[in-house]
């Protein structure tokens, strides 16, 4: 083979930038295999396997319904049965929460790969989201079953659901990238994440409707981008004449995009040093 | 195919005032002190793991990278495989690179052999169709047909290694970078791997190979690059490279006191500080004679401030090719030792020294229980065996070819 005048690639300080997106495309097979591995492994050596993806939201739904509806007497939205109101928020919340936890963990738990093999590191946190998306789809069946049980017919707005799902995924991705990059250097993140998720569940309208938040506080409340996502989910699934809370939605979209953008930027800035400090 | 120009990699090495802050109390006290004194607690110092490395490798060349621990071999390989970035310099690469820095990277214990072949293949840079095409070949090479659908966590370590290597051996990159991975598995499988590697070289692919085993380097490579504290000390024909390397090794072993050696690994709580060989009259000897009785004495300093029990002391005897001739460990004979709280010596009595004439290198290893490597120096010291009369016949001129001697009785029936 004749040596071509132009090398296939050049290694230089700071050089990776230029080939980054091309590399990302070239390594799509690895992305596919890593996601496939995590999906396969997730429920290995469990007795009921993927049924966990249904049981978790199901039990949480029952508990929330009993506490918030039966005990606290909180109102539902429109005419929707309370369990459906809860589940419409629980699905995106659990998707977000477990995606966030796993993206944040992903680099450290794949430390052996990162210190021994080259690939665009962005693959790792991204594939963590894919795995949870599968769980999300499966637990979606629960919602379907519940709707059949209550003979509840959603409106046309249900077709916007993929968009709100994407928003939840992006939210987890954006925050996850920040956490993951910081986690490589500071293991404190391991303590922070469960705390953030637990707290987040209370400040997001998971067990209750956004309606019970007083009007004047609602914009402040919507600084939590999951408020917009959950409101969107409820709007898409529940058949009532309540309009989407637009300021909250726009705010969520802006915050999510901001975090994704800065997250990728920061991640790429520090990713070159991952192998040295992980 | 590969051009490296003035490559350098700098690490920030931090020095804590207390090197081993073991307890939480110490950590708190240290932090408090540093706040009061307003001095940064961590002083860091630049350490150039690679400095000004340049070489060119042409297509189809098989190059061995030789160097002691800490010479920068791993850093070089990591830069070439793009795992870490250089601090300065430039590398130009023509062709697809696959690197094998560890056997079985990314193997998942819960997945079956079949699944792991695909996963590991993808991690090493193969695409799906390529893996499918070579699947049978890989399985046959690894000799694991019967266990394809068993999770690899139930594999024996031998099977695991065989499967992992088989995947890697079927990579078809233009440039293959291999770290010391052949030193695994049983001897027969190692041979198989070596053959496979030789084939790879013959197919016109470029191979970069790191090993401590000079014999493997000689068998596989036509060129050798000797790295020494981050720079290229020699670059040329493989036989010469090996000679340069061993010469430098002996020089290092004789010139730098053990305690000041930097090419060591381990926690450093205990360090080997001296080595002597004593004869039966407790006199220090320079050259040893086959067949006599000797005490090998290892001095140590203990920085942990308390006596350590159940310490494993081990040393090996390597010939000039880097082959291990003898391995002696305290836990072979259930005779692990207790170390004094400050310093002391450990002696190992070797009766009827079975080594033939020659020069030997000794790696020295201290470990605390099975869990913590205290100190390990690869080519710690050397010994010279000369002029021994092992068989008591008065004949000194024993053949140079063999390394081990043993008493035997001959009969004609």
């Amino acid at each position: 083979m004749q040596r071509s005048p132009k090398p296939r690639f050049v290694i230089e300080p700071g050089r990776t930038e230029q080939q980054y997106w091309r590399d990302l495309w070239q390594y799509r097979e690895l992305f596919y295999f890593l996601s496939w591995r995590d999906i396969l492994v997730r429920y290995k050596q469990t007795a009921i396997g993927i049924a966990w993806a249904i049981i978790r939201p199901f039990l949480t739904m029952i508990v929330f319904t009993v506490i918030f509806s039966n005990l606290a007497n909180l109102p539902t939205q429109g005419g929707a049965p309370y369990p459906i109101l809860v589940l419409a928020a629980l699905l995106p919340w659990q998707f977000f929460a477990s995606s966030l936890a796993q993206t944040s963990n992903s680099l450290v738990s794949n430390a052996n790969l990162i210190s021994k093999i080259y690939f665009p590191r962005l693959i790792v946190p991204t594939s963590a989201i894919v795995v949870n998306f599968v769980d999300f789809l499966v637990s979606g069946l629960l919602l379907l079953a519940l709707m059949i049980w209550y003979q509840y017919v959603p409106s046309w707005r249900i077709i916007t659901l993929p968009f709100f799902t994407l928003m939840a995924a992006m939210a987890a991705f954006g925050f996850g990238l920040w956490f993951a990059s910081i986690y490589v250097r500071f293991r404190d993140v391991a303590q922070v994440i469960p705390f953030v998720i637990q707290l987040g569940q209370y400040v997001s309208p998971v067990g209750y409707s956004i309606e019970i938040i007083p009007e004047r506080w609602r914009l402040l409340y919507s600084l939590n981008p999951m408020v917009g996502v959950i409101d969107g989910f409820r709007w898409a699934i529940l058949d009532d004449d309540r309009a989407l809370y637009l300021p909250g939605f726009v705010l969520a979209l802006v915050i999510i995009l901001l975090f994704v953008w800065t997250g990728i930027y920061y991640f790429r800035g520090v990713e070159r040093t991952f192998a040295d400090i992980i | 195919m590969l051009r490296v120009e003035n490559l350098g990699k700098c690490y920030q090495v931090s020095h804590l005032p207390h090197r081993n802050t073991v307890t939480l109390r110490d950590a708190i006290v240290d932090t408090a002190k540093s706040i009061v004194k307003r001095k940064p607690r961590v002083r860091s110092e630049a350490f150039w793991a690679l400095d000004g490395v340049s070489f060119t490798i042409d297509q189809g060349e098989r190059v061995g990278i030789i160097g002691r621990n800490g010479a920068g071999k791993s850093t070089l390989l990591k830069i070439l495989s793009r795992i870490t970035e250089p601090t300065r310099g430039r590398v130009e690469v023509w062709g697809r690179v696959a690197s094998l820095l560890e056997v079985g990277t990314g193997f998942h214990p819960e997945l079956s052999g079949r699944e792991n072949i695909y996963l590991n293949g993808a991690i090493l840079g193969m695409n799906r169709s390529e893996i499918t095409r070579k699947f049978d070949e890989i399985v046959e090479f690894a000799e694991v047909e019967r266990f394809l659908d068993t999770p690899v966590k139930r594999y024996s370590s031998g099977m695991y290694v065989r499967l992992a290597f088989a995947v890697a051996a079927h990579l078809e990159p233009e440039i293959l970078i291999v770290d010391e991975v052949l030193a695994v598995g049983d001897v027969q499988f190692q041979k198989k791997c070596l053959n496979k590697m030789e084939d790879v070289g013959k197919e016109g692919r470029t191979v970069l190979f790191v090993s401590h085993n000079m014999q493997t380097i000689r068998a596989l490579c036509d060129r050798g690059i000797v790295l020494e504290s981050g720079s290229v000390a020699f670059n040329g024909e493989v036989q010469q490279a090996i000679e340069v390397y061993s010469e430098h090794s002996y020089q290092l072993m004789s010139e730098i006191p053990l305690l000041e050696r930097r090419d060591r690994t381990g926690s450093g709580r205990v360090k080997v500080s001296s080595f002597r060989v004593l004869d039966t009259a407790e006199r220090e000897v320079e050259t040893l004679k086959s067949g006599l009785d000797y005490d090998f004495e290892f001095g140590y300093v203990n920085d942990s401030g308390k006596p350590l029990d159940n310490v494993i002391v081990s040393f090996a005897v390597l010939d000039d090719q880097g082959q291990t001739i003898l391995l002696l460990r305290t836990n072979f004979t259930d005779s692990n030792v207790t170390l004094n709280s400050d310093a002391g010596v450990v002696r190992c009595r070797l009766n009827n020294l079975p080594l033939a004439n020659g020069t030997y290198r000794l790696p020295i290893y201290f470990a605390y229980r099975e869990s913590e490597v205290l100190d390990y120096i690869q080519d710690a010291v050397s010994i010279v065996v000369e002029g021994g009369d092992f068989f008591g016949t008065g004949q000194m001129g024993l053949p140079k070819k063999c390394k081990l001697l043993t008493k035997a009785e001959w009969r004609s029936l």
Side-chain angles (χ1 to χ4, degrees):
Chain A
M1 199 174 87
Q2 199 63 42
R3 177 194 283 188
S4 54
K6 208 172 152 17
R8 187 184 161 102
F9 61 85
V10 173
I11 302 167
E12 261 179 343
R15 180 83 181 193
T16 36
E17 302 293 314
Q18 294 162 35
Q19 301 138 338
Y20 198 80
W21 301 106
R22 197 185 68 186
D23 270 0
L24 208 55
W25 174 246
Q26 275 177 348
Y27 278 84
R28 62 190 184 281
E29 288 258 323
L30 182 60
F31 168 70
Y32 164 81
F33 273 108
L34 283 183
S35 312
W36 171 78
R37 173 195 74 179
D38 291 342
I39 292 168
L40 276 184
V41 167
R42 179 142 202 178
Y43 295 111
K44 281 264 162 143
Q45 217 169 357
T46 57
I48 55 173
I50 194 123
W52 279 114
I54 299 222
I55 291 175
R56 264 174 303 165
F58 183 66
L59 293 179
T60 319
M61 177 193 80
I62 291 177
V63 171
F64 277 23
T65 306
V66 168
I67 292 177
F68 291 105
S69 174
N70 299 18
L71 298 180
N73 274 322
L74 294 181
T76 179
Q77 250 170 258
Y82 209 87
I84 292 188
L85 177 92
V86 169
L87 199 62
L90 209 51
L91 292 185
W93 174 258
Q94 287 195 341
F95 174 45
F96 168 79
S98 49
S99 296
L100 176 63
Q102 274 177 39
T103 3
S104 311
N105 260 323
S106 59
L107 288 176
V108 172
S109 61
N110 283 295
N112 63 330
L113 278 190
I114 284 170
S115 55
K116 295 291 180 197
I117 296 284
Y118 168 77
F119 55 87
R121 311 306 190 197
L122 210 49
I123 285 180
V124 172
T126 317
S127 82
I129 299 222
V130 172
V131 179
N132 287 292
F133 181 66
V134 173
D135 265 24
F136 171 75
L137 287 183
V138 173
S139 41
L141 293 176
L142 182 62
L143 184 67
L144 201 68
L146 211 63
M147 284 180 162
I148 294 170
W149 171 263
Y150 282 106
Q151 300 190 330
Y152 190 85
V153 184
S155 73
W156 62 270
R157 296 186 303 219
I158 190 98
I159 58 166
T160 60
L161 210 53
F163 175 76
F164 293 110
T165 309
L166 185 69
M167 261 177 89
M170 294 304 266
F173 188 59
F175 293 121
L177 281 182
W178 275 97
F179 278 136
S181 331
I182 298 171
Y183 195 4
V184 172
R185 189 180 283 274
F186 298 105
R187 298 293 141 100
D188 310 55
V189 173
Q191 311 302 321
V192 174
I193 293 164
F195 174 68
V196 165
I197 288 172
Q198 201 181 18
L199 214 64
Q201 187 160 33
Y202 291 106
V203 299
S204 305
V206 179
Y208 48 89
S209 162
I210 190 177
E211 304 270 273
I212 67 164
I213 306 290
E215 199 81 46
R216 59 199 169 104
W217 294 115
R218 219 172 272 177
L219 196 64
L220 185 71
Y221 184 60
S222 299
L223 277 177
N224 167 11
M226 280 312 283
V227 171
V229 173
I230 288 172
D231 194 41
F233 257 77
R234 290 221 172 105
W235 177 77
I237 290 169
L238 306 181
D239 183 25
D240 55 12
D241 11 296
R242 212 189 127 259
L244 189 66
Y245 177 58
L246 216 53
F249 170 75
V250 173
L251 196 58
L253 204 60
V254 168
I255 290 176
I256 287 171
L257 289 178
L258 186 74
F259 268 91
V260 169
W261 186 65
T262 56
I264 292 178
Y265 189 79
Y266 180 67
F267 187 91
R268 286 187 50 197
V270 293
E271 99 180 303
R272 284 178 257 141
T273 60
F274 285 167
D276 295 334
I277 57 177
I278 202 160
Chain B
M1 287 305 276
L2 194 96
R3 186 161 63 217
V4 176
E5 275 167 34
N6 194 28
L7 201 65
K9 172 82 184 175
C10 179
Y11 285 103
Q12 295 296 323
V13 191
S14 50
H15 295 279
L16 292 166
H18 283 278
R19 253 190 73 108
N20 295 297
T21 322
V22 252
T23 65
L24 183 65
R25 201 198 63 194
D26 285 352
I28 293 170
V29 169
D30 279 356
T31 315
K33 268 186 198 161
S34 69
I35 291 169
V36 172
K37 287 183 186 161
R38 298 205 169 219
K39 254 196 270 174
R41 193 162 62 97
V42 182
R43 282 178 298 145
S44 62
E45 185 188 304
F47 167 69
W48 288 88
L50 280 183
D51 197 5
V53 172
S54 306
F55 56 85
T56 310
I57 295 173
D58 283 319
Q59 197 214 325
E61 270 196 298
R62 291 171 297 167
V63 179
I65 310 271
I66 316 170
R68 57 189 51 262
N69 286 339
K73 296 177 310 238
S74 309
T75 310
L76 179 63
L77 292 199
K78 277 191 174 175
I79 291 175
L80 293 183
S81 19
R82 294 201 282 167
I83 294 164
T84 177
E85 269 204 337
T87 314
R88 64 173 181 226
R90 181 182 167 90
V91 182
E92 288 174 2
V93 184
W94 287 264
R96 194 175 116 174
V97 176
S99 55
L100 191 55
L101 301 195
E102 178 190 67
V103 152
T105 306
F107 259 46
H108 200 289
E110 296 285 350
L111 297 180
S112 70
R114 183 189 307 278
E115 290 160 342
N116 267 310
I117 290 178
Y118 277 93
L119 179 65
N120 193 232
I123 285 171
L124 294 174
M126 288 194 246
N127 56 37
R128 224 175 317 169
S129 58
E130 208 178 332
I131 304 170
T132 312
R133 189 154 42 83
K134 290 190 188 143
F135 190 84
D136 293 334
E137 220 180 307
I138 292 173
V139 173
E140 196 193 335
F141 189 86
E143 303 159 27
V144 291
E145 290 90 342
R146 283 172 50 216
F147 308 100
L148 261 187
D149 295 304
T150 314
V152 296
K153 65 176 174 184
R154 310 215 193 288
Y155 277 30
S156 71
S157 55
M159 277 157 64
Y160 185 93
V161 164
R162 284 208 303 272
L163 183 65
F165 192 84
V167 182
H170 289 81
L171 280 171
E172 276 181 356
E174 281 121 9
I175 302 167
L176 182 63
I177 296 175
V178 187
D179 202 350
E180 187 123 47
V181 286
L182 293 174
V184 291
D186 53 85
V187 180
Q188 214 163 4
F189 189 72
Q190 275 183 31
K191 217 174 251 173
K192 203 166 157 183
C193 296
L194 283 180
N195 289 338
K196 183 80 194 172
M197 296 280 297
E198 253 173 281
D199 291 346
V200 169
K202 279 181 194 132
E203 285 161 22
R205 266 180 254 144
T206 312
V207 182
L208 245 86
F209 188 72
V210 165
S211 177
H212 282 119
N213 189 325
M214 294 303 134
Q215 212 145 30
T216 326
I217 293 265
R218 184 177 297 138
L220 283 178
C221 306
D222 12 71
R223 197 142 75 85
I225 292 176
V226 182
L227 281 184
E228 214 161 87
S229 31
S231 326
V232 176
F234 180 84
N235 178 358
E237 201 267 322
V238 68
Q239 182 60 40
Q240 268 175 291
I242 292 171
E243 278 162 23
V244 169
Y245 172 69
S246 11
E247 221 168 87
H248 284 218
S249 301
Y250 290 123
Q251 222 177 332
L252 192 76
M253 283 185 273
S254 56
E255 278 172 7
I256 301 178
L258 273 173
L259 205 52
E260 284 158 33
R261 292 275 292 268
R262 289 196 74 171
D263 54 324
R264 64 201 319 149
T265 50
S267 68
R269 287 210 290 156
V270 172
K271 280 185 184 158
V272 186
S273 57
S274 68
F275 171 76
R276 295 194 299 168
V277 182
L278 306 172
D279 64 11
T280 41
E282 300 235 342
R283 278 180 313 229
E284 191 177 342
V285 291
E286 290 288 319
T287 56
L288 289 75
K289 289 180 166 45
S290 324
L292 296 185
D293 304 343
Y294 292 103
D295 267 317
F296 286 59
E297 185 187 275
F298 305 93
Y300 62 84
V301 287
N302 182 350
D303 282 337
S304 66
K306 53 176 191 252
L308 294 173
D309 65 329
N310 209 351
V311 170
I312 298 168
V313 180
S314 164
F315 70 97
V317 179
L318 273 59
D319 68 3
D320 50 359
Q321 311 289 327
Q323 295 278 32
T324 305
I325 306 294
L326 288 174
L327 175 63
L328 295 102
R329 300 185 79 128
T330 49
N331 56 345
F332 285 172
T333 49
D334 278 335
S335 41
N336 287 356
V337 293
T338 301
L339 302 186
N340 300 335
S341 56
D342 45 357
V345 296
V346 176
R347 278 187 189 174
C348 172
R349 183 58 176 262
L350 225 77
N351 289 327
N352 197 15
L353 186 76
L355 296 170
N357 290 351
T359 310
Y360 299 89
R361 281 178 281 160
L362 274 62
I364 302 174
Y365 172 92
F366 274 62
Y368 180 53
R369 297 180 181 162
E370 296 281 350
S371 54
E372 178 192 352
V373 178
L374 295 165
D375 196 19
Y376 171 51
I377 308 182
Q378 193 165 16
D379 288 330
V381 290
S382 66
I383 54 169
V384 179
V385 180
E386 208 170 78
D389 183 12
F390 186 81
F391 301 106
T393 56
Q395 264 181 304
M396 305 292 181
L398 292 167
K400 285 223 157 147
K401 276 183 181 168
C402 81
K403 307 285 178 193
L404 271 184
L405 303 170
T406 182
K407 294 245 161 72
E409 286 172 36
W410 296 85
R411 282 167 298 166
S412 167
L413 300 172

